[in-house]
């Protein structure tokens, strides 16, 4: 499951140092989890690459980002502690000589044991989400993120810090030793209950000096013999030449493992952080969030607008409550179905219940299947005074004979001319029929406007031919919205 | 601008915004069931890792196409003048006081600025000749164009539409933005490349990047589940039990606290997955996680300074050894570290004895230790599989969710047994072992293994979105 990494994102976080990169990443993670968005002034400045987005993020959040460092005095304390310990070792002399084992144990073998323990912890116990020693203290003082949330990243970071402190302690000891040895001769001896033979001891020291004996050698048997201390006090001179062996032991068993561990934890942190950047999906979440564009506020239908907007939009006289309208339209459908036989006789039915008083249910003789082409013939002057109702169609596929003009199918100019020349008597009403599946458009609004200019208040009948039954309610919503916008009565009729 | 742009145009309410939403993976594109609500053209980029691959422009629908065409026809003597006539129309409309042709101006402007045309029609409604006016206007722009038949409520009239559209458009495709799987989206994008030769390299590059991104999304979502699983399975909540306090009361409180933490983990993971799939506005409905386990609780001892028994003894021993080592140093090492050994032993044993009777430990009457009630981690492997199953169900549901869909996502639970059949015996054992080990945390390597197993347990898109 290997996938191409973000080309520039990983180097972006590692630009100055891995430690800084870690806290930059943690700050970035926190920012992304809060779903915050950056301010982009205009389209020309919109970043076009991942790195540009990250740079913009850093610019806008610079003030809130604080990289975490251990306090300087902690490093100084480590240095001083190492120096004092070495000074104590050098001061603990017998007959002006220092027991070889003391600096070896304190500055080489015990640190080596601790280094081994750190290594074991790093390799085998790396998954623990229990904070390592000192983390709680640091988190209180430096507002560190919760360890539990990022154990795999914070553990190597902290381990690097602790190893650095330990390395500084050893460096302090070495500096102290070199200073001491510069101004005073330091003699070393060795003594043991079990090892009396200098040959054996020389062999042991040879094993200890294995890492460097190829280029610096190991203490000779003569040196070892000369530095052996007997309680009887006979023949003891101490050996100043053993200092090289001690220094090299401290370097190889004390300092070098610490430095290697620092490197190991550094690489571990870098590897884990890289994996985290690539696998966590935080970057993708960030980019998705930044590039999400919210639609401009569109015109809202009534059921989606706030009461304030609603008040300003609605015309009290003609507003049709959308819910009521729907229930009424359904009611109208059932009424029409039940009284199909009497429909032909009735021209208009008023519903007088309070809920629906503003709706008129009309049942014109338009559900007949008969229709002729003559209805759509053009006439220079239209006189609709013959009947008390003028029936118009809007893009009807099969306009019926009673429809005087099926608008929207020819040229606009033709429709406009026809409507301009339309003359109506005072008593004559205009009914406009349209298919439910048609979408109300501006051209229909223009037709209504032309009728309004003639002081005609048309009513709109939506014919539901069952073409797309699963969507009829949605289509009706569009028509209701349109009717509200243009302040006309709307009736739905099922064919 | 070195990426192609396409204006999605058409009659009002034919699913233009839905197509824009799905093809740009933007769930903030406003989709209204009511026609005529989009009144401005708006550009939505499809981008990967901050880089824009192409743009789709959501436009208002044609409102007065016949009037516009008549306006255009007035000016034109022959076909060579048509493009200029459209430009002239736009210039005049921009200067005009009245905004009668506002919607047409909005939709034609990006086209005349160089955008390709994607003309959208509804395949569930019958074709009628009025649409020809719109198609003619688009033809007059001279821009590369294709038609998409969106079967919003069914495909009854698709053949009818195809017959009509092929006369105006060189490329006609059927595309349902609500149910299209990634293959269909890919096929459609490939068609964009055919539209105009200069756009081909950019579209092919976009396809490549989207494929890579999809693979990366899969890997990242697996990783997120693996991590969330580890977090949940290793979750622990603790409460200090004051002396002589009724434990049962605290157990109830702790149980609720634990359940809350588990649900927070789960919700966090789900939100991250949603953000990864760019579905931040999606409402989801899932069954609440229950963590009412009889063996949830464990009792240990708490100590002041937040140390546990083991740490306390270890530290005491180390402190004693250090004191002894000072004495050793004082005698020049003649004691052969006997001081350190003795010091360590004595203080270690003393602290061990002290921690045996925790109730008696106090400083000036203030207790420095007591009982600690711990909830979790749940070691029941069945519970681990329940959590895994829930996360996989959620991932399956959102990974195939198209951005145009706005309904609440109801997550269906699938049988974990069925999922496990996708693994061989060795992998099943490995998964079980990893889930058991997750209580103590997993290494990076183990997390990667778990993520790979999660990947195998996922339901393929072909099963979730067939056809």
């Amino acid at each position: 499951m290997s996938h191409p990494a973000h080309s520039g994102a990983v180097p972006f976080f590692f630009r100055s140092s891995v430690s800084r990169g870690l806290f930059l990443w943690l700050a970035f993670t926190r920012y992304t989890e809060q779903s915050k968005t950056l301010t982009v002034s205009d389209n020309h400045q919109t970043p076009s690459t991942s790195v540009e987005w990250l740079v913009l993020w850093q610019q806008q959040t610079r003030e809130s980002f604080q990289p975490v460092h251990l306090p300087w005095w902690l490093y100084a304390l480590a240095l001083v502690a190492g120096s004092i310990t070495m000074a104590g070792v050098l001061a603990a002399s017998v007959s002006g000589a220092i027991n070889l084992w003391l600096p070896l144990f304190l500055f080489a073998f015990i640190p080596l044991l601790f280094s081994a323990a750190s290594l074991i912890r790093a390799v085998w116990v790396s998954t623990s989400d229990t904070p390592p020693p000192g983390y709680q203290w640091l988190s209180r003082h430096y507002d560190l993120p919760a360890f539990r949330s990022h154990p795999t990243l914070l553990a190597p970071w902290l381990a690097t810090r602790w190893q650095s402190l330990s390395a500084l302690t050893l460096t302090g000891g070495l500096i102290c030793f070199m200073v001491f040895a510069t101004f005073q001769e330091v003699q070393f001896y060795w003594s043991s209950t079990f090892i009396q033979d200098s040959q054996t001891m020389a062999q042991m020291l040879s094993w200890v000096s294995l890492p460097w004996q190829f280029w610096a050698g190991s203490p000779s048997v003569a040196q070892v013999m000369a530095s052996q201390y007997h309680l009887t006090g006979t023949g003891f001179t101490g050996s100043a030449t053993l200092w090289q062996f001690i220094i090299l032991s401290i370097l190889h068993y004390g300092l070098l493992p610490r430095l290697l561990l620092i490197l190991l934890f550094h690489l571990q942190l870098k590897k884990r952080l890289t994996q985290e950047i690539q696998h966590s999906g935080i970057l993708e979440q960030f980019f998705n969030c930044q590039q999400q564009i919210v639609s401009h506020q569109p015109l809202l239908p009534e059921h989606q607008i706030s009461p304030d907007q609603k008040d300003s939009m609605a015309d009290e006289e003609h507003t049709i409550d959308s819910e009521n309208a729907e229930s009424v339209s359904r009611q109208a459908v059932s009424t029409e179905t039940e009284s199909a036989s009497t429909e032909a006789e009735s021209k208009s039915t008023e519903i007088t219940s309070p809920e629906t008083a503003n709706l008129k249910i009309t049942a014109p003789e338009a559900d007949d299947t008969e229709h002729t082409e003559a209805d759509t013939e053009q006439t220079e002057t239209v006189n609709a005074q013959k009947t008390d109702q003028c029936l118009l169609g809007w893009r009807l596929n099969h306009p019926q004979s009673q429809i005087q003009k099926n608008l929207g199918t020819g040229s606009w100019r033709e429709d406009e001319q026809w409507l301009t020349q339309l003359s109506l008597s005072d008593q004559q009403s205009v009914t406009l029929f349209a298919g439910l599946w048609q979408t109300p458009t501006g051209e229909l609004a223009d037709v209504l406007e032309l009728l309004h200019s003639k002081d005609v208040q048309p009513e709109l009948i939506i014919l539901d031919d069952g073409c797309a039954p699963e969507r009829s309610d949605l289509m009706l919503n569009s028509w209701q919205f349109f009717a509200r916008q243009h302040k006309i009565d709307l009736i739905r009729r099922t064919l | 601008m070195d990426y192609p742009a396409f204006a999605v145009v058409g009659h009002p309410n034919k699913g233009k915004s839905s197509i824009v939403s799905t093809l740009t993976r933007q769930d903030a594109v406003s989709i209204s069931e009511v026609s005529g609500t989009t009144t401005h053209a708006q550009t939505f980029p499809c981008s990967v890792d901050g880089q824009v691959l192409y743009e789709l422009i959501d436009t208002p629908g044609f409102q007065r196409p016949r009037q516009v065409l008549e306006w255009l026809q007035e000016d034109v003597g022959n076909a060579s003048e048509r493009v200029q006539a459209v430009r002239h129309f736009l210039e005049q409309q921009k200067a005009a006081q009245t905004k009668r042709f506002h919607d047409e101006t909005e939709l034609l402007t990006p086209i005349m600025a160089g955008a390709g045309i994607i003309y959208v029609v509804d395949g569930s409604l019958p074709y009628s000749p009025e649409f020809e006016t719109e198609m003619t206007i688009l033809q007059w722009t001279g821009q590369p164009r294709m038609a998409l038949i969106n079967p919003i409520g069914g495909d009854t009239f698709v053949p009818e539409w195809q017959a009509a559209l092929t006369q105006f458009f060189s490329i006609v495709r059927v595309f349902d933005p609500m149910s299209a799987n990634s293959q269909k989206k890919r096929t459609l994008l490939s068609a964009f490349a055919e539209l105009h030769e200069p756009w081909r390299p950019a579209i092919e590059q976009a396809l490549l990047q989207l494929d890579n991104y999809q693979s990366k999304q899969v890997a990242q979502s697996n990783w997120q589940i693996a991590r969330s699983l580890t977090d949940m399975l290793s979750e622990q909540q603790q409460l200090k039990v004051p002396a002589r306090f009724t434990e049962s009361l605290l157990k109830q409180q702790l149980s609720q606290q634990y359940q809350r933490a588990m649900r927070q983990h789960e919700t966090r993971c789900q939100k991250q997955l949603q953000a990864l799939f760019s579905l931040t506005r999606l409402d989801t409905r899932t069954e609440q996680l229950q963590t009412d386990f009889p063996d949830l609780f464990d009792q240990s001892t708490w100590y002041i300074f937040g140390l546990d028994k083991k740490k306390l003894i270890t530290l005491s021993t180390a402190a004693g050894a250090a004191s002894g080592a000072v004495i050793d140093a004082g005698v020049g090492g003649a004691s052969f570290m006997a001081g350190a050994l003795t010091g360590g032993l004595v203080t270690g044993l003393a602290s061990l004895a002290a921690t045996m009777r925790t109730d008696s430990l106090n400083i000036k009457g203030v207790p420095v230790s007591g009982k600690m009630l711990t909830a979790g981690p749940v070691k029941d492997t069945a519970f681990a599989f329940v959590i895994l199953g829930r996360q996989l169900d959620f991932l399956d549901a959102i990974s195939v969710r198209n951005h145009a869909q706005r309904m609440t996502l109801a997550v269906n639970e699938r049988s974990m047994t069925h999922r496990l059949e996708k693994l061989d015996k060795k992998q099943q054992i490995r998964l079980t072992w990893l889930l058991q080990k997750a209580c103590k945390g997993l290494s990076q390597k183990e997390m990667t293994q778990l993520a790979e197993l999660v990947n195998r347990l996922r339901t393929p898109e072909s099963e979730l979105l067939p056809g």
Side-chain angles (χ1 to χ4, degrees):
Chain A
M1 291 204 299
S2 64
H3 302 285
H6 296 277
S7 49
V10 175
F12 169 84
F13 286 100
F14 290 135
R15 271 188 310 185
S16 36
S17 72
V18 177
S19 174
R20 190 183 159 84
L22 167 69
F23 288 99
L24 198 63
W25 171 253
L26 293 177
F28 180 76
T29 305
R30 199 179 302 171
Y31 182 90
T32 305
E33 283 174 351
Q34 289 167 349
S35 301
K36 289 182 180 173
T37 47
L38 299 170
T39 311
V40 182
S41 52
D42 63 57
N43 282 339
H44 301 291
Q45 290 183 345
T46 304
S48 57
T49 63
S50 55
V51 176
E52 282 177 21
W53 276 108
L54 292 170
V55 168
L56 185 69
W57 166 75
Q58 201 178 16
Q59 282 168 356
Q60 293 190 13
T61 57
R62 186 165 283 156
E63 286 169 14
S64 60
F65 172 67
Q66 293 292 330
V68 175
H69 301 290
L70 288 191
W72 66 269
W73 56 262
L74 213 55
Y75 292 104
L77 191 70
L79 205 65
V80 170
S83 305
I84 289 174
T85 312
M86 182 57 90
V89 168
L90 295 175
S93 62
V94 175
S95 307
I98 297 151
N99 191 335
L100 182 69
W101 295 119
L102 198 56
L104 277 184
F105 270 101
L106 285 178
F107 286 90
F109 300 148
I110 292 176
L112 183 67
L113 280 175
F114 280 116
S115 298
S118 300
L119 184 67
I120 290 165
R121 185 182 165 86
V123 175
W124 282 284
V125 203
S126 60
T127 58
S128 169
D129 59 2
T130 312
Y135 191 82
Q136 302 293 9
W137 175 80
L138 277 174
S139 66
R140 272 198 299 276
H141 284 77
Y142 296 98
D143 191 27
L144 296 186
F147 187 83
R148 268 189 68 90
S149 313
H150 313 279
T152 51
L153 295 177
L154 289 168
W157 174 78
L158 198 67
T160 312
R161 308 297 108 179
W162 289 150
Q163 293 305 327
S164 303
L165 289 175
S166 304
L168 269 178
T169 307
L170 291 167
T171 310
L174 278 172
I175 292 169
C176 178
F177 181 89
M178 297 309 283
V179 170
F180 203 86
T182 305
F183 301 106
Q184 193 174 330
E185 189 184 357
V186 185
Q187 300 256 348
F188 295 96
Y189 71 92
W190 67 273
S191 184
S192 171
T193 308
F194 306 112
I195 307 166
Q196 295 293 325
D197 181 13
S198 299
Q199 195 78 35
T200 311
M201 187 63 186
Q203 187 60 50
M204 276 179 66
L205 295 186
S206 170
W207 289 339
V208 170
S209 51
L210 210 58
W212 64 86
Q213 65 172 258
F214 299 104
W215 58 275
S218 59
S220 64
V221 179
Q223 276 178 317
V224 172
M225 194 180 291
S227 60
Q228 187 175 11
Y229 174 75
H230 294 282
L231 280 175
T232 52
T234 53
F236 166 70
T237 54
S239 174
T241 53
L242 281 175
W243 74 267
Q244 275 183 330
F245 170 77
I246 290 166
I247 291 291
L248 287 170
S249 296
I250 294 172
L251 280 175
H252 283 83
Y253 296 110
L255 199 57
L256 192 63
R258 294 288 176 192
L259 294 176
L260 287 174
L261 280 175
I262 290 171
L263 185 68
L264 171 79
F265 289 128
H266 178 86
L267 292 175
Q268 195 180 48
L269 174 60
K270 192 172 180 179
K271 187 184 166 197
R272 288 181 182 185
L273 189 54
T274 306
Q275 275 190 327
E276 178 80 8
I277 293 169
Q278 288 173 348
H279 290 154
S280 65
I282 296 288
L283 276 171
E284 282 69 22
Q285 290 173 35
F286 170 77
F287 294 133
N288 286 343
C289 183
Q290 300 311 316
Q291 297 198 306
Q292 191 176 56
I293 293 179
V294 180
S295 288
H296 296 312
Q297 185 70 5
L299 283 179
L300 293 174
E302 192 167 334
H303 61 275
Q304 289 176 13
I305 58 177
S306 67
D308 294 345
Q309 288 172 295
K310 200 173 177 175
D311 289 346
S312 62
M313 199 175 107
D315 181 334
E316 288 75 8
E317 280 186 20
H318 294 279
T319 301
I320 303 170
D321 180 80
S322 61
E323 289 172 14
N324 284 343
E326 195 175 328
S327 65
V328 167
S329 66
R330 288 197 181 118
Q331 201 177 333
V333 171
S334 63
T335 308
E336 285 164 8
T337 314
E338 284 163 16
S339 59
S341 60
T342 57
E343 260 182 23
E345 294 164 26
S346 71
K347 291 283 179 191
S348 172
T349 308
E350 292 283 337
I351 293 182
T352 53
S353 72
E355 294 167 16
T356 58
N358 59 346
L359 272 180
K360 193 198 280 181
I361 303 288
T362 311
E365 299 166 341
D367 55 342
D368 206 321
T369 51
E370 289 179 19
H371 48 85
T372 61
E373 292 300 317
D375 293 311
T376 56
E377 278 178 9
Q378 292 176 32
T379 50
E380 285 300 311
T381 308
V382 181
N383 192 333
Q385 289 176 355
K386 290 172 196 164
T387 60
D388 61 351
Q389 206 170 31
C390 174
L391 305 181
L392 300 176
W394 175 252
R395 291 182 177 168
L396 295 176
N397 271 358
H398 306 292
Q400 294 155 12
S401 57
Q402 294 88 345
I403 302 293
Q404 290 177 352
K405 173 75 178 168
N406 188 21
L407 299 162
T409 52
S411 76
W412 164 253
R413 206 159 290 161
E414 184 190 303
D415 288 352
E416 192 181 27
Q417 199 176 9
W418 192 90
L419 287 164
T420 313
Q421 290 168 352
L422 176 70
S423 68
L424 297 161
S425 68
D426 289 348
Q427 290 79 31
Q428 209 170 11
S429 64
V430 174
T431 306
L432 190 60
F433 291 89
L436 178 67
W437 55 268
Q438 280 280 355
T439 311
T441 59
E443 279 185 352
L444 180 59
D446 293 343
V447 167
L448 295 172
E449 200 179 312
L450 283 170
L451 290 170
H452 283 150
S453 69
K454 288 177 171 292
D455 290 330
V456 174
Q457 181 61 40
E459 63 181 7
L460 189 57
I461 296 186
I462 304 305
L463 303 171
D464 183 358
D465 59 0
C467 176
E470 66 285 352
R471 294 180 58 212
S472 55
D473 283 351
L474 298 180
M475 300 299 286
L476 187 66
N477 279 345
S478 290
W479 281 107
Q480 283 170 339
F481 179 59
F482 179 81
R484 261 195 310 280
Q485 274 188 314
H486 298 94
K487 300 168 182 130
I488 53 165
D489 292 339
L490 176 74
I491 297 144
R492 177 188 183 183
R493 183 135 188 254
T494 307
L495 293 177
Chain B
M1 191 174 80
D2 51 358
Y3 44 82
F6 302 91
V8 182
V9 299
H11 211 60
N13 215 21
K14 300 299 172 205
K16 296 185 290 294
S17 300
S18 301
I19 285 170
V20 170
S21 183
T22 290
L23 291 181
T24 56
R25 301 181 301 112
Q26 299 255 11
D27 71 344
V29 179
S30 179
I31 296 172
S32 172
E33 292 167 346
V34 174
S35 77
T37 52
T38 305
T39 53
H40 292 89
Q42 193 177 0
T43 302
F44 293 90
C46 174
S47 34
V48 164
D49 295 342
Q51 188 190 343
V52 178
L53 304 179
Y54 57 86
E55 281 180 343
L56 292 187
I57 304 152
D58 190 20
T59 64
F62 278 102
Q63 294 291 335
R64 294 173 174 88
R66 290 186 304 159
Q67 294 174 41
V68 173
L69 188 60
E70 279 169 20
W71 194 102
L72 294 173
Q73 279 167 340
E74 274 177 6
D75 255 12
V76 174
N78 58 55
S80 67
E81 294 167 7
R82 287 175 179 173
V83 176
Q84 194 48 42
V86 179
R87 285 193 204 285
H88 185 212
F89 168 78
L90 290 178
E91 280 163 18
Q92 204 178 64
Q93 289 308 310
K94 279 169 189 164
Q97 294 291 318
T98 57
K99 297 294 174 191
R100 185 178 181 79
F101 298 116
H102 169 81
D103 289 14
E104 280 75 12
T105 310
E106 282 286 313
L107 75 91
L108 287 172
T109 301
I111 294 174
M112 297 315 288
I117 298 167
I118 298 172
Y119 182 64
V120 181
V121 297
D122 181 354
S124 62
L125 296 175
Y127 169 78
S128 59
E130 300 89 63
F131 292 95
E132 286 169 22
T133 318
E134 296 171 1
M135 294 191 267
T136 306
I137 294 171
L138 295 175
Q139 208 172 29
W140 280 40
T141 63
Q143 281 299 101
R145 57 195 182 279
M146 69 182 289
L148 284 189
I149 304 172
N150 179 8
I152 298 174
D155 53 5
T156 319
F157 300 97
V158 168
E160 201 177 308
W161 276 106
Q162 275 172 327
L165 290 168
T166 44
Q167 294 175 44
F168 288 88
F169 299 92
S170 55
I171 300 170
V172 179
R173 295 280 186 275
V174 179
F175 182 76
D176 184 352
M178 298 294 173
S179 63
N181 59 23
S182 54
Q183 185 52 44
K184 284 190 175 170
K185 285 181 236 174
R186 202 182 191 286
T187 310
L188 181 64
L189 288 176
S190 305
F192 286 9
E194 290 169 33
L195 207 54
H196 187 47
E197 195 52 36
W199 291 338
R200 183 182 289 278
I203 293 292
E204 284 173 353
Q205 181 64 23
L207 281 168
L208 195 68
Q209 291 204 34
L210 284 168
D211 286 346
N212 286 337
Y213 184 72
Q214 203 180 357
S215 314
K216 202 164 69 173
Q217 258 185 338
V218 169
Q220 287 173 343
S221 52
N222 296 337
W223 182 268
Q224 272 184 10
I225 287 196
R227 170 181 284 181
S228 168
L229 211 56
T230 313
D231 287 346
M232 290 177 80
L233 293 175
S234 60
E235 176 62 37
Q236 253 190 351
Q237 291 286 323
Q238 292 185 319
L239 259 185
K240 289 175 182 176
V241 185
R244 293 178 292 282
F245 200 91
T246 317
E247 271 184 32
S248 59
L249 286 174
L250 287 179
K251 274 189 175 177
Q252 198 181 353
Q253 187 191 334
L254 189 59
S255 172
Q256 285 168 355
Q257 199 174 306
Y258 178 77
Q259 181 152 284
R260 207 163 38 242
M262 292 292 268
R263 284 177 183 168
Q264 277 171 357
H265 278 303
E266 195 178 57
T267 309
R268 186 167 175 262
C269 176
Q270 289 174 353
K271 290 282 170 209
Q272 284 189 335
L273 287 173
Q274 279 183 237
L276 182 63
F277 284 90
S278 198
L279 288 164
T280 46
R281 289 165 182 248
L282 175 67
D283 287 327
T284 58
R285 194 176 63 237
T286 50
E287 290 290 322
Q288 278 212 318
L289 178 68
Q290 300 297 329
T291 60
D292 200 10
F293 274 86
D295 61 343
L296 187 65
F297 300 101
D298 189 19
Q299 197 167 285
S300 60
T301 308
W302 64 268
Y303 295 90
I304 207 158
F305 314 124
L307 297 175
D308 63 21
K309 189 175 180 175
K310 197 168 78 181
K311 274 187 188 166
L312 197 66
I313 295 171
T314 311
L315 277 179
S316 303
T317 309
S323 308
V326 173
I327 298 168
D328 289 334
V331 297
S335 56
F336 289 103
M337 308 306 284
L341 193 68
T342 314
L345 267 173
V346 169
T347 50
L349 287 170
S351 60
L352 178 68
T355 54
M356 297 292 267
R357 290 187 64 234
T358 53
D359 292 348
S360 60
L361 285 177
N362 64 71
I363 298 171
K364 293 184 179 174
V366 179
V368 292
S369 65
K371 284 178 185 170
M372 177 74 88
L373 204 56
T374 305
V378 174
K379 294 185 179 72
D380 187 345
T381 316
F383 180 66
F385 277 107
V386 167
I387 298 175
L388 174 62
R390 286 171 63 87
Q391 302 280 44
L392 284 167
D393 290 339
F394 187 84
L395 180 58
D396 280 349
I398 65 156
S399 60
V400 293
R401 177 85 171 186
N402 277 315
H403 293 75
Q405 287 180 285
R406 297 290 191 266
M407 288 169 74
T408 301
L409 173 73
V411 179
N412 299 320
E413 288 188 11
R414 283 166 182 264
S415 154
M416 196 61 203
T417 316
H418 176 69
R419 288 187 190 277
L420 280 174
E421 284 167 7
K422 293 173 186 170
L423 304 182
D424 60 33
K425 286 282 171 225
K426 203 174 156 189
Q427 287 168 333
Q428 287 181 11
I429 292 167
R430 185 73 190 157
L431 176 66
T432 312
W433 182 83
L434 286 169
L435 292 179
Q436 284 169 343
K437 176 141 193 305
C439 302
K440 295 171 188 167
L442 296 178
S443 67
Q444 293 285 104
K445 194 180 163 189
E446 288 161 345
M447 284 275 277
T448 309
Q449 287 174 351
L450 184 56
E452 278 172 6
L453 290 169
V454 166
N455 188 48
R456 288 173 190 275
L457 291 168
R458 287 173 72 162
T459 312
E461 191 191 47
S462 54
E463 277 181 41
L464 296 164
L465 273 182

